[in-house]
Amino acid sequence: MAPAASAPRGSGEGPAVGARAARCIVGWRRFWAGPRSGWRVGAMASWAALSPSIVEYFQGEDFYRCGYCKNESGSRSNGMWAHSMTVQDYQDLIDRGWRRSGKYVYKPVMNQTCCPQYTIRCRPLQFQPSKSHKKVLKKMLKFLAKGEISKGNCEDEPMEPTMEDAVASDFALINKLDIQCDLKTLSDDLKESLKSEEKKKGKSSKREESNELIQSQDTEEKLDSGEPSHSVKVHTVPQPGKGADLSKPPCRKAKEIRKERKRLKLMRQNPGGELEGFQVRGQPPSLFPPKAKSNQPKSLEDLIFESLPESASHKFEVRLVPVSFEDPEFKSSFSQSFALYVKYQMAIHQDPPDECGKTEFTRFLCSSPLEAENPANGPDCGYGSFHQQYWLDGKIIAVGVIDILPYCVSSVYLYYDPDYSFLSLGVYSALREIAFTRQLHEKTPQLSYYYMGFYIHSCPKMKYKGQYRPSDLLCPETYVWVPIEQCLPSLENSKYCRFNQDPEAG
């Protein structure tokens, strides 16, 4: 079968369906593995066996404009129109590098396209929010509780592909994270660190008459075991021009001493020796109930679901709504959701009104090929496509479009009210979706991943997805998942890489 025709533009419709279109009925987990492999057949999950997937594969060869590097003819992908698709079929497809935009499902030709797009997934069960993530969550809590708007917030969105480029690019999280805000946060942190170091230097210079910063610092901290910690004796570096006392141990900074005390304390609390993130890696956070200790780091759920005072300035809730015009809640909120989409596209992407109409909105974000399924062993909400609506004081301020599949929550798109950019809703919604995946995992253990679309190492504005760790990239040749830390060195040398180091792997 020949390679795909050009990807659809703007509206989400594929190329003309005619002599070039090959109709394929996909049942029992049939999926396109590549131009030479044809359709594969495998065992299908029992609950989806009676509902086959129906797709039309577009044949032909073409190169088209890249939404990332703006190369006019550098991007290439395979594509097909999905009339209907089981959630298991789509799970299998995204595990082989495919993604959907509305009902159009496409896969980059990785070794030929100008900007290789690697499927990336986060492992929520081991996820720990970073310092910048915590700042975003705390900022939201302050706003809800007291109406406070933190100073220095970045309200500008990063430069991103417009909707015209999106199908040829990545629909998953292009608009999701406020990259400039994150960079500003890092810059502010660096400035504070430098100021702190200057203050420390100023204070230490006043004490240069003494060779010893701490003559004998013996501290006993009462731990859970009731035993004291080791005493620590620290000396400073001899001043220039003065002889060094070689009988004394080398100096240690107070910061290092505090870290050592904390390490010893944690070792007493956790004899197993797992200190990273203060939780045992590879285990769900729910297995480790929080301890009533002031130095215990808050979990993602603690930060998100912290209770608000009765006198809170704002009322906030998140609603999960199935993408179906037969659903009364989806139908009743459609007009408001559509108006928000238009406002977002026009303000953030400068789209003219005629390019973000109701037809485009419906095809792009409300039409899904996924058939809703509600197996007994699945999540309470079932599988399928959903809108996660963020309501503030009775109005929608953001909508995250997601797919709930047998093994993951897959992020499709996010649009929000630009008036609330100061809340970093891209970062906030991503963290909420990670927490939501953990919640679904409690009922459905096999559902344990959060797919973030495509990672493009050659595109600086798309590298932010690697900040949600631990995460994995999909090997484009063997379709095995490889930790992103192992992939980055290879990507620094080449845009296209085979991550699987086993030469015998097929």
Side-chain angles (χ1 to χ4, degrees):
M1 190 173 285
S6 66
R9 300 286 182 171
S11 67
E13 288 184 319
V17 179
R20 295 194 307 150
R23 174 161 296 187
C24 305
I25 298 180
V26 186
W28 297 92
R29 204 167 76 183
R30 299 184 185 182
F31 49 86
W32 179 248
R36 298 180 180 178
S37 302
W39 292 95
R40 286 189 163 187
V41 183
M44 187 66 184
S46 59
W47 65 79
L50 299 178
S51 180
S53 297
I54 302 175
V55 305
E56 291 182 76
Y57 179 72
F58 299 116
Q59 303 182 59
E61 295 185 12
D62 197 11
F63 287 86
Y64 47 87
R65 185 177 186 272
C66 176
Y68 301 108
C69 69
K70 309 306 179 184
N71 186 320
E72 291 299 327
S73 60
S75 185
R76 186 179 181 185
S77 71
N78 294 307
M80 58 187 174
W81 188 263
H83 294 272
S84 66
M85 185 170 287
T86 65
V87 292
Q88 184 62 55
D89 278 348
Y90 186 55
Q91 176 73 67
D92 293 335
L93 284 168
I94 64 174
D95 283 335
R96 297 183 74 84
W98 293 77
R99 295 291 293 177
R100 79 172 183 88
S101 166
K103 289 190 173 184
Y104 183 76
V105 186
Y106 64 101
K107 175 183 178 180
V109 181
M110 296 291 283
N111 60 350
Q112 298 181 33
T113 192
C114 55
C115 296
Q117 303 163 47
Y118 300 91
T119 302
I120 183 172
R121 71 178 186 184
C122 172
R123 284 175 263 153
L125 303 188
Q126 293 86 39
F127 175 79
Q128 291 291 335
S130 67
K131 186 177 180 181
S132 62
H133 294 156
K134 291 177 182 178
K135 284 186 176 181
V136 170
L137 296 175
K138 290 176 181 177
K139 178 169 58 177
M140 173 65 83
L141 288 173
K142 286 182 180 180
F143 173 73
L144 297 177
K146 303 177 182 179
E148 293 183 5
I149 299 177
S150 303
K151 294 181 180 180
N153 288 310
C154 172
E155 299 195 23
D156 296 326
E157 285 294 302
M159 296 299 293
E160 297 154 346
T162 62
M163 185 159 173
E164 179 180 311
D165 305 319
V167 172
S169 306
D170 174 21
F171 271 135
L173 291 176
I174 289 175
N175 314 305
K176 289 217 65 169
L177 305 183
D178 304 312
I179 304 170
Q180 293 178 358
C181 292
D182 278 353
L183 292 176
K184 182 168 176 50
T185 299
L186 292 173
S187 177
D188 291 343
D189 292 344
L190 181 59
K191 288 178 181 178
E192 291 177 7
S193 177
L194 291 173
K195 287 180 181 179
S196 177
E197 288 296 326
E198 289 297 327
K199 289 180 181 179
K200 289 180 180 178
K201 288 180 180 178
K203 291 180 180 179
S204 62
S205 63
K206 295 178 182 179
R207 297 194 297 266
E208 286 181 354
E209 296 178 1
S210 172
N211 287 340
E212 294 185 358
L213 174 64
I214 302 174
Q215 288 279 342
S216 178
Q217 183 175 352
D218 297 320
T219 56
E220 292 186 354
E221 298 181 8
K222 300 298 181 181
L223 306 179
D224 292 344
S225 61
E227 297 179 6
S229 63
H230 296 288
S231 61
V232 183
K233 189 173 183 178
V234 186
H235 303 272
T236 59
V237 176
Q239 297 179 14
K242 296 187 178 181
D245 188 347
L246 300 178
S247 64
K248 295 180 179 179
C251 75
R252 296 175 64 192
K253 292 183 178 179
K255 186 176 181 180
E256 294 178 352
I257 300 171
R258 290 195 297 272
K259 285 185 177 180
E260 178 67 15
R261 290 186 203 148
K262 196 168 188 178
R263 189 183 70 82
L264 293 171
K265 188 174 183 179
L266 287 169
M267 287 182 67
R268 293 178 183 276
Q269 294 175 3
N270 183 12
E274 282 284 358
L275 301 178
E276 184 172 348
F278 307 124
Q279 290 183 349
V280 176
R281 295 185 63 186
Q283 296 294 333
S286 57
L287 300 180
F288 299 89
K291 298 179 181 179
K293 296 185 72 65
S294 60
N295 64 344
Q296 186 74 15
K298 289 186 177 181
S299 68
L300 178 62
E301 288 75 12
D302 291 336
L303 293 166
I304 290 178
F305 302 111
E306 185 172 322
S307 59
L308 297 173
E310 293 183 3
S311 58
S313 299
H314 299 283
K315 182 180 179 181
F316 182 75
E317 63 175 321
V318 179
R319 302 177 188 174
L320 185 69
V321 182
V323 177
S324 170
F325 285 98
E326 297 179 359
D327 183 85
E329 195 168 359
F330 179 83
K331 194 172 181 180
S332 64
S333 62
F334 178 83
S335 295
Q336 187 179 166
S337 183
F338 167 63
L340 176 64
Y341 163 80
V342 174
K343 184 177 182 180
Y344 172 82
Q345 291 296 138
M346 293 180 65
I348 302 302
H349 294 295
Q350 290 78 49
D351 283 357
D354 60 340
E355 290 185 9
C356 47
K358 190 170 292 186
T359 300
E360 286 77 16
F361 173 66
T362 302
R363 287 174 177 167
F364 177 29
L365 298 174
C366 302
S367 293
S368 170
L370 302 184
E371 300 291 339
E373 299 176 16
N374 291 276
N377 61 344
D380 293 334
C381 59
Y383 298 118
S385 298
F386 298 82
H387 280 190
Q388 201 162 40
Q389 301 173 341
Y390 296 79
W391 290 75
L392 179 70
D393 299 331
K395 73 172 184 177
I396 304 175
I397 64 167
V399 177
V401 184
I402 61 174
D403 294 330
I404 300 179
L405 304 175
Y407 304 115
C408 73
V409 169
S410 176
S411 182
V412 178
Y413 200 69
L414 175 85
Y415 54 99
Y416 59 85
D417 191 334
D419 294 342
Y420 293 91
S421 293
F422 62 87
L423 290 175
S424 303
L425 291 171
V427 177
Y428 182 79
S429 64
L431 296 173
R432 288 289 302 230
E433 288 170 6
I434 290 174
F436 180 53
T437 305
R438 284 155 62 142
Q439 178 186 340
L440 296 179
H441 172 79
E442 295 291 336
K443 168 73 186 310
T444 311
Q446 72 271 19
L447 202 165
S448 56
Y449 296 101
Y450 175 58
Y451 283 48
M452 298 180 285
F454 290 133
Y455 174 84
I456 306 174
H457 192 76
S458 57
C459 181
K461 66 190 173 190
M462 295 299 291
K463 294 169 69 173
Y464 65 83
K465 297 180 183 182
Q467 297 173 2
Y468 291 77
R469 303 205 182 173
S471 57
D472 309 301
L473 297 183
L474 185 67
C475 177
E477 295 183 11
T478 62
Y479 302 111
V480 297
W481 295 98
V482 181
I484 191 170
E485 295 85 356
Q486 298 179 23
C487 304
L488 295 180
S490 299
L491 289 172
E492 288 294 328
N493 298 322
S494 174
K495 288 183 179 181
Y496 174 75
C497 299
R498 171 192 169 112
F499 301 135
N500 191 339
Q501 299 302 313
D502 181 5
E504 301 299 325

